[in-house]
Amino acid sequence: MKNLLMLFAFSLLFISCQSSSETKSLNLDDYTWEDILAEGQAQDMTMMMWKGDPKINAYMQKYIKPKLLKKHNINLTIVDGQGNYIVQMLMAELQASASTSEIDLIWINGETFYQLRQIDALFGPWTSKLPNADKIDFENPFIGKDFQQAIDGYEMPWGNVQMTLIYNQDKIRQPPQTRAELLSFVKEHPGKFTWDNHFTGLTFMKALLIDIAGGADVLKGEFNENLYAKYSDELWVYLNQLKPYLWRQGEVFPENVAQMHQLFANGELLFTMSINDAEVDNKVEEGLFQKSSRAYVPEFGSIQNSHYLGISKLSQRKLTAMVVVNELISEENQLEKMKPSVWGDGTVLQVSKLDSVFQKKFNSIAQRNYAPHREDIQEKALPELAPEYMIHLAEDFKKNLID
Amino acid sequence: MRKHIGQSIVGFIILFPLVFLLILSFGKQWFYPHILPNIWQTSQWESLFSPSFQLTKSLGLSLLLSISVGLVSTITAFYFSKKIAYSYSKTTWLSLAYVPYLLSPIIFAVLIHFYFLKIGLSGSLFGVIIAQFLICFPFGIIICSTFWTSQIQSLENLSSTLGGSTTQTLKRVLLPLAKSTLLLCFFQCFLISWFEYGLTHFIGAGKVKTLTVSVFAYVNEANPFLAALAGFLLILPSVLLLLVNKRLIFKTSKKLTDYE
Amino acid sequence: MFNIKQITPWKTALFILMLLPMLLGLGYGLLYSFGVIGLLNTGFTTEHWSDVLLNFSFWKSLLFSFSIGLISVGISLVMALWMVVNWHLDLRKGKLSTLIYLPLAFPATVVGFFIFQSFSKAGFWSRFLYQIGIISDIEDFPSVVNDAYGIGIILASSFIITPFLSLILKGIFENEHVTKFQHIAKNLGASQRQVLVKITLPILLQKAKTSLLLFLIFVIGSYEIPLLLGRQNPKMITVAIVDKAQRFNLNDIPQAYAMAILYVLFLLFLFFGFQRLAKLKTKAYA
């Protein structure tokens, strides 16, 4: 028994005093792009991204992955993860002073970027080293700023989307345009509307919050505790008014957006949502949604945001990751993913800066049949709020509506 | 008559999942309120035969993983169960052997994750093998410990008195007698590993894509058809093994509770 | 007391393989939950423990898991007893004897998935009832999965436990020569019901005690099934712990470790406490 205790105590001691590992820190000043390209070739690399959409997965697995293999002999492994999961994972690695990270490239934005910077888990700055970065439209406030934060070269914009609500045109003539109309809608059609308990649902709530606050300018800039408290109280009152008429009486919310799409496809819900404005086209084409599905942005607007790519600090494949990112933001690959039949994700490139061949290609992309055109909803685009808003909304949503 | 109806109901409850999963795995679209998928496809099953298909890779990986864990756990458990059975503190050790089972594997994974990260085992197949071994091995001890009766002990002594070396005793006397216990131990450890999701997903960081991990991946992608296919593949080997080894399970369930 | 000679090499090796990982894990959890280690922690504090202990949601989840476990094992016990008492001959030979083994091949993941696809509002049974006209709208089908009572979880757990338990009970039935005792009792004039209550059930239940406890612990510790069939409120304890460690506020992670340790203590108490109680009882009869 004594020996057991000694062993136990010894191990506790061992954990408490960890020595920091020495990972060679990468100084990008020593590298030119040619160097990076040369060293980044012929490696294995892991990317962590949200894998809840089969079309996005297909784009990555069937188009990007073979291309990377052929062009740069890079073997890309993709694993599932987003948001807090990524932060927890990288945090655990930092705490254990791991010598390498399990993931090299990560698909992030907003509050994840914020938390990763907080715990210093991101490598950077690196984005200016990439030749294709010159064509990115950093001036565009929807691209150059991530949830009101300066990206400072720590993450590279990858795509741009605006949120829409999707409904069945056969069953609904006039979709609700204001909060009041939404309330009467759910009263008329109980159990047919809801939102998910994750990113998409929170983005929807943010749009409602902005509407309650009276416009995007009110909540602009850094997080304001008082403003948040004031307007979120009203938000919870409003949502609690909706609650009894929501799906499952608002006692349960779909865990993720994929589940919500299934419920909509089954007819259990009359509405679903997507942060990607082109998603309705994808899903109709896949055969999941009926052809009578349409997407729209209500009068109170919806959030438009960009999503980004970051590199983990402990990654041993930073140069390879940079090569991969350079590919992902190239005109060819950005064009491919913008096609509604592939993903429908907006580009972060400034089309006017591209050569004429590509300009023509971008401008003549197959039109959307079921989703509104981006130009039409641009004026209703709301900017993202500071990340703390989302973090607080997530917590308070649990407190006020679920518990 | 009543017995017949009752048993048919039980039979239905047992067979329905198998049939249902099989049908679903051939589906492409299953709009409400169709009872059967309204659009079918065989392409999913056909893809199984191409080695680049994720599910085929998962199948191979799961087999490799579970067989390794089963083998290592059985061998180690056999060795240690003998030591325990003949020692004074037999009951203490056996009681303690239940403890890893008491923790849910996922909670166990959450607690030791730090160490795996530190040693660099996180996200690797080897790391998952070790983690699963730590859960299966104590279970194996409990199963194997029932083999070492005083009868066996006397046989061992007899063999060495007659001049046999330890290896000979092992090969000629013990192993043949222990065959069914060893098979059962391997089988149970194999199953624990084969079915495991939480721990595999956590320690493997999503990179070790076993069949169970695939089922969840397809569920999260809202693809019930591929999930059903993965589920069916999960069941198949176990059903086959079970039908072959029916006797073994039955014998041990008694042994497990006999220890009190 | 503890002789140095008794620490043989095999005992050390066994300790390392069997107990050390757990002790290390618990040690890490303790340190983290008290704020001693951890990236966002600032030093020793008891606030995380008080947050967990005084917070209703932890106890709610624990109680919920425990109740679901009791109900699942209870239902399985009734069904398994019924089958063994009435059909023990068919369980030995014939179709039923083979069929009863099949569910043992189903992993929790697949059972959870299957129950979801069968019993959700868009599931098989809902479609069936719609087709034969009992319900006219998808809304009319009752909420059986992701519901407040854990019905889906109970269904799945019972599906897994019942066959296993039947086999154990069948084994006991035969090894304890219950049929013999039944005959003797009948010859002495006992009625069907008396035989059942005074002979069959006590023998079966007495010997199956530990198995029942193990199944209870199995349900409490299950993760995949509540992940697929449960919901955010009420939440099973394993899901609650993993969620706190992975999905929510970063500052809650120490709480997740505290919860994990409490959970382990609870199970240890349950298991060893039960064993103690059982021993005391049998001693009383000696």
Side-chain angles (χ1 to χ4, degrees):
Chain A
M1 196 30 81
K2 240 195 311 192
N3 294 43
L4 299 191
L5 287 177
M6 264 173 51
L7 205 55
F8 185 44
F10 174 70
S11 14
L12 282 188
L13 214 61
F14 164 69
I15 315 166
S16 320
C17 15
Q18 319 155 25
S19 54
S20 55
S21 68
E22 336 114 58
T23 16
K24 247 189 323 165
S25 54
L26 192 63
N27 189 350
L28 281 183
D29 292 335
D30 302 334
Y31 290 80
T32 63
W33 176 247
E34 285 69 41
D35 295 331
I36 296 176
L37 202 57
E39 270 195 55
Q41 299 278 317
Q43 303 271 19
D44 288 347
M45 198 196 81
T46 306
M47 174 174 173
M48 180 167 271
M49 59 179 250
W50 173 62
K51 287 186 79 175
D53 188 312
K55 272 207 141 50
I56 302 179
N57 296 343
Y59 169 72
M60 291 303 290
Q61 292 281 358
K62 305 212 169 96
Y63 181 79
I64 294 287
K65 186 170 158 153
K67 216 174 188 194
L68 287 173
L69 194 59
K70 194 156 160 226
K71 197 166 167 190
H72 300 285
N73 202 4
I74 291 178
N75 190 4
L76 182 68
T77 306
I78 300 179
V79 295
D80 190 15
Q82 60 161 331
N84 261 336
Y85 180 77
I86 297 178
V87 183
Q88 247 76 307
M89 186 171 182
L90 292 181
M91 193 163 123
E93 288 177 352
L94 285 172
Q95 280 167 174
S97 312
S99 53
T100 174
S101 176
E102 284 308 314
I103 50 184
D104 307 298
L105 187 61
I106 32 187
W107 186 19
I108 53 178
N109 74 351
E111 90 283 15
T112 314
F113 176 63
Y114 172 73
Q115 288 175 327
L116 287 174
R117 298 264 12 229
Q118 247 192 329
I119 61 175
D120 195 20
L122 280 181
F123 168 65
W126 56 273
T127 55
S128 48
K129 282 281 188 189
L130 272 56
N132 283 335
D134 295 337
K135 305 186 195 120
I136 291 189
D137 190 5
F138 284 105
E139 298 301 310
N140 184 337
F142 286 107
I143 295 177
K145 280 202 171 234
D146 185 7
F147 279 46
Q148 310 267 337
Q149 309 162 87
I151 55 182
D152 270 345
Y154 276 81
E155 55 178 4
M156 179 73 84
W158 188 22
N160 178 278
V161 286
Q162 184 164 347
M163 177 158 171
T164 56
L165 297 177
I166 302 171
Y167 65 102
N168 191 337
Q169 205 186 34
D170 286 346
K171 304 233 174 100
I172 304 173
R173 296 276 126 207
Q174 292 277 43
Q177 296 289 343
T178 65
R179 276 182 292 136
E181 280 180 32
L182 181 59
L183 185 56
S184 17
F185 174 82
V186 298
K187 284 191 177 158
E188 263 174 72
H189 303 95
K192 296 290 192 190
F193 185 88
T194 188
W195 54 87
D196 73 309
N197 189 16
H198 221 151
F199 195 79
T200 310
L202 287 169
T203 312
F204 175 64
M205 280 188 263
K206 270 185 277 190
L208 290 175
L209 190 69
I210 293 179
D211 187 39
I212 290 177
D217 288 334
V218 182
L219 296 171
K220 205 159 108 168
E222 287 190 12
F223 177 67
N224 186 322
E225 186 90 49
N226 298 327
L227 288 179
Y228 173 74
K230 179 164 156 201
Y231 297 120
S232 62
D233 280 345
E234 265 191 67
L235 178 66
W236 307 128
V237 168
Y238 175 68
L239 292 182
N240 274 310
Q241 284 178 322
L242 292 177
K243 183 169 167 169
Y245 306 102
L246 294 175
W247 179 71
R248 305 282 287 264
Q249 288 87 49
E251 287 174 10
V252 158
F253 290 88
E255 270 312 298
N256 51 51
V257 74
Q259 200 191 356
M260 213 164 62
H261 290 332
Q262 281 286 310
L263 295 171
F264 175 71
N266 278 328
E268 245 184 278
L269 290 175
L270 285 177
F271 266 92
T272 182
M273 311 174 181
S274 172
I275 50 167
N276 178 0
D277 37 329
E279 178 141 27
V280 64
D281 271 63
N282 293 352
K283 294 278 184 276
V284 171
E285 216 219 308
E286 253 175 73
L288 184 65
F289 287 177
Q290 316 237 12
K291 290 216 166 92
S292 50
S293 311
R294 296 285 181 276
Y296 81 109
V297 175
E299 277 309 309
F300 57 76
S302 71
I303 302 243
Q304 185 186 110
N305 62 24
S306 300
H307 48 88
Y308 303 78
L309 295 161
I311 300 181
S312 67
K313 200 175 191 128
L314 291 176
S315 161
Q316 295 296 310
R317 293 277 180 271
K318 299 190 179 82
L319 301 175
T320 312
M322 287 166 72
V323 174
V324 173
V325 174
N326 197 48
E327 276 298 324
L328 290 173
I329 58 174
S330 71
E331 309 131 313
E332 219 176 273
N333 297 328
Q334 288 271 314
L335 180 69
E336 180 72 16
K337 91 169 150 63
M338 198 158 152
K339 295 183 189 161
S341 56
V342 177
W343 179 350
D345 189 32
T347 182
V348 291
L349 302 174
Q350 212 172 353
V351 181
S352 49
K353 271 194 184 168
L354 305 172
D355 68 55
S356 55
V357 176
F358 269 105
Q359 279 202 42
K360 243 203 326 210
K361 287 192 188 173
F362 269 101
N363 289 328
S364 54
I365 262 191
Q367 286 307 334
R368 303 165 173 183
N369 295 321
Y370 309 95
H373 296 209
R374 184 58 84 79
E375 310 86 63
D376 296 339
I377 55 176
Q378 181 64 41
E379 50 183 31
K380 287 192 257 186
L382 304 168
E384 275 285 10
L385 300 174
E388 292 94 330
Y389 284 105
M390 183 135 168
I391 297 177
H392 278 89
L393 277 176
E395 267 189 59
D396 293 339
F397 175 64
K398 259 187 4 121
K399 260 193 267 174
N400 288 312
L401 255 78
I402 297 190
D403 294 338
Chain B
M1 187 55 208
R2 223 176 54 162
K3 181 190 277 200
H4 195 70
I5 298 180
Q7 290 191 8
S8 309
I9 295 181
V10 172
F12 174 76
I13 294 179
I14 293 177
L15 290 174
F16 179 60
L18 279 170
V19 174
F20 181 69
L21 281 178
L22 191 58
I23 294 181
L24 204 54
S25 69
F26 281 103
K28 185 171 154 73
Q29 204 184 70
W30 195 32
F31 275 165
Y32 195 88
H34 298 260
I35 291 244
L36 298 176
N38 49 314
I39 300 186
W40 300 81
Q41 64 180 354
T42 51
S43 57
Q44 284 154 177
W45 278 90
E46 287 164 21
S47 323
L48 268 184
F49 293 101
S50 76
S52 57
F53 186 42
Q54 180 55 49
L55 210 47
T56 323
K57 285 195 263 189
S58 295
L59 179 62
L61 181 68
S62 285
L63 278 172
L64 176 65
L65 174 63
S66 301
I67 291 180
S68 318
V69 173
L71 278 176
V72 177
S73 305
T74 309
I75 296 174
T76 340
F78 190 65
Y79 173 75
F80 280 106
S81 60
K82 169 174 170 175
K83 296 286 187 184
I84 292 178
Y86 294 167
S87 85
Y88 286 118
S89 34
K90 169 178 175 176
T91 32
T92 334
W93 282 112
L94 278 184
S95 302
L96 288 175
Y98 275 93
V99 180
Y101 168 80
L102 290 183
L103 271 60
S104 170
I106 180 71
I107 304 294
F108 180 67
V110 168
L111 289 173
I112 60 169
H113 191 221
F114 169 78
Y115 299 96
F116 275 73
L117 280 170
K118 218 163 166 63
I119 311 179
L121 284 177
S122 166
S124 69
L125 177 63
F126 189 56
V128 175
I129 291 181
I130 295 198
Q132 287 187 350
F133 166 77
L134 290 174
I135 302 274
C136 296
F137 160 69
F139 203 72
I141 288 189
I142 297 176
I143 295 182
C144 292
S145 63
T146 56
F147 172 70
W148 302 102
T149 59
S150 49
Q151 237 189 336
I152 299 288
Q153 195 169 21
S154 358
L155 276 175
E156 258 186 299
N157 291 335
L158 185 62
S159 164
S160 58
T161 325
L162 292 176
S165 69
T166 3
T167 345
Q168 280 176 319
T169 322
L170 186 66
K171 259 179 47 179
R172 304 287 179 92
V173 181
L174 293 175
L175 284 185
L177 286 171
K179 212 167 67 154
S180 61
T181 314
L182 285 174
L183 266 179
L184 180 74
C185 183
F186 171 77
F187 181 56
Q188 291 284 35
C189 294
F190 174 87
L191 277 186
I192 295 179
S193 156
W194 185 250
F195 291 168
E196 181 47 47
Y197 167 71
L199 173 124
T200 312
H201 185 246
F202 201 85
I203 300 282
K207 281 179 162 176
V208 181
K209 299 189 192 180
T210 59
L211 276 181
T212 41
V213 171
S214 297
V215 173
F216 268 90
Y218 291 127
V219 167
N220 284 331
E221 214 186 70
N223 187 340
F225 312 112
L226 278 174
L229 178 53
F232 193 76
L233 288 177
L234 262 175
I235 298 182
L236 208 54
S238 346
V239 166
L240 294 173
L241 271 173
L242 264 170
L243 290 177
V244 167
N245 290 310
K246 240 171 59 170
R247 306 271 137 224
L248 290 179
I249 314 285
F250 162 26
K251 254 207 290 179
T252 296
S253 340
K254 169 189 175 307
K255 285 180 185 170
L256 268 180
T257 48
D258 255 2
Y259 117 83
E260 53 186 289
Chain C
M1 190 197 91
F2 195 61
N3 198 340
I4 209 86
K5 257 195 282 193
Q6 286 180 306
I7 312 176
T8 52
W10 71 264
K11 283 195 186 160
T12 334
L14 191 58
F15 172 75
I16 293 180
L17 285 180
M18 204 162 82
L19 294 174
L20 189 62
M22 219 165 3
L23 288 174
L24 287 180
L26 289 172
Y28 182 76
L30 273 173
L31 288 177
Y32 206 112
S33 57
F34 278 110
V36 177
I37 53 174
L39 211 64
L40 296 177
N41 277 343
T42 47
F44 185 85
T45 169
T46 52
E47 81 169 283
H48 303 296
W49 277 88
S50 53
D51 276 342
V52 172
L53 289 170
L54 298 176
N55 191 345
F56 181 52
S57 68
F58 169 73
W59 298 107
K60 187 170 169 184
S61 289
L62 197 59
L63 195 63
F64 183 63
S65 291
F66 187 64
S67 327
I68 297 283
L70 283 178
I71 298 176
S72 306
V73 174
I75 293 179
S76 309
L77 184 61
V78 168
M79 293 205 292
L81 276 174
W82 199 86
M83 282 200 282
V84 169
V85 168
N86 292 320
W87 300 339
H88 65 95
L89 285 173
D90 297 305
L91 280 173
R92 271 183 115 181
K93 263 212 262 200
K95 280 183 278 202
L96 190 62
S97 72
T98 323
L99 276 180
I100 200 76
Y101 280 96
L102 286 184
L104 300 186
F106 295 12
T109 309
V110 176
V111 175
F113 172 72
F114 165 71
I115 296 282
F116 184 82
Q117 292 293 331
S118 320
F119 290 97
S120 69
K121 280 205 190 225
F124 179 82
W125 292 111
S126 168
R127 296 162 191 249
F128 181 71
L129 290 181
Y130 184 92
Q131 293 283 350
I132 62 177
I134 295 189
I135 61 174
S136 52
D137 183 70
I138 196 173
E139 272 307 301
D140 296 335
F141 189 79
S143 298
V144 167
V145 301
N146 303 127
D147 65 302
Y149 304 104
I151 299 179
I153 303 178
I154 295 176
L155 279 175
S157 307
S158 306
F159 183 86
I160 295 180
I161 297 177
T162 310
F164 214 135
L165 190 55
S166 314
L167 288 170
I168 292 180
L169 288 175
K170 172 183 121 164
I172 298 173
F173 195 91
E174 290 174 10
N175 289 326
E176 303 297 316
H177 307 291
V178 174
T179 359
K180 244 199 320 189
F181 286 110
Q182 285 178 330
H183 274 309
I184 297 177
K186 281 221 196 94
N187 285 341
L188 292 175
S191 72
Q192 274 284 62
R193 202 179 154 273
Q194 280 175 319
V195 173
L196 181 68
V197 172
K198 299 256 178 194
I199 308 279
T200 328
L201 286 183
I203 298 180
L204 289 178
L205 289 177
Q206 175 68 14
K207 286 281 166 184
K209 274 196 324 258
T210 315
S211 304
L212 291 175
L213 179 66
L214 289 178
F215 283 128
L216 175 64
I217 295 181
F218 164 74
V219 178
I220 296 180
S222 66
Y223 177 63
E224 295 92 336
I225 292 182
L227 204 57
L228 288 166
L229 298 169
R231 71 182 202 182
Q232 287 293 312
N233 184 17
K235 211 189 283 196
M236 298 270 281
I237 188 68
T238 43
V239 177
I241 295 177
V242 179
D243 272 355
K244 266 253 157 59
Q246 278 199 337
R247 272 192 61 182
F248 302 145
N249 195 347
L250 287 181
N251 295 314
D252 282 350
I253 300 182
Q255 282 185 31
Y257 284 105
M259 286 165 71
I261 294 180
L262 282 171
Y263 166 79
V264 171
L265 288 176
F266 173 74
L267 284 183
L268 286 174
F269 173 70
L270 192 64
F271 182 73
F272 288 110
F274 181 85
Q275 300 288 73
R276 258 295 164 83
L277 208 68
K279 266 204 204 112
L280 285 173
K281 264 194 171 169
T282 37
K283 271 211 182 120
Y285 286 127

